[in-house]
Amino acid sequence: QVQLVESGGGLVQPGGSLRLSCAASGSIFSLNPMGWYRQAPGKQRELVASITSDGITNYVDSVKGRFTISTDYVKNTMYLQMKSLKPEDTAVYYCNSAFTSRTLYWGQGTQVTVSS
């Protein structure tokens, strides 16, 4: 089972940027397609971005044009570059497979807080 550790979150003002990282102890290819999720207070966890081994990306409408998902296969690490952040982006962010059937383990996530 792949072990996942998210990092890079923090407090940022609206309009700011952050880059999240996801380190995996196992091969991230086993998660294919790979994805980033977020869970805001009082809301369900949602998939916001995904990427296949072929480089095909998908984003939920609310983050499209602002978030970019990428993978460094040499470092076995996933990234989520976030820009033009909004208060609505405040959530705990997790990395995992974009297929729910493959989300057998969840890391602790990393907190992103967008506030002035």
Side-chain angles (χ1 to χ4, degrees), residues 48-60:
V48 298
S50 66
I51 184 170
T52 70
S53 59
D54 295 325
I56 300 174
T57 59
N58 288 101
Y59 302 91
V60 69

Side-chain angles (χ1 to χ4, degrees), residues 3-11 17-24 36-37 76-82 91-96 107-113:
Q3 304 298 305
L4 304 168
V5 180
E6 301 90 347
S7 63
L11 176 63
S17 301
L18 283 174
R19 187 179 72 164
L20 308 183
S21 297
C22 172
W36 281 94
Y37 297 76
N76 197 42
T77 303
M78 294 170 50
Y79 302 95
L80 184 68
Q81 180 67 55
M82 307 183 294
V92 177
Y93 284 73
Y94 304 86
C95 58
N96 216 315
Q108 295 302 303
T110 185
Q111 176 71 50
V112 172
T113 302

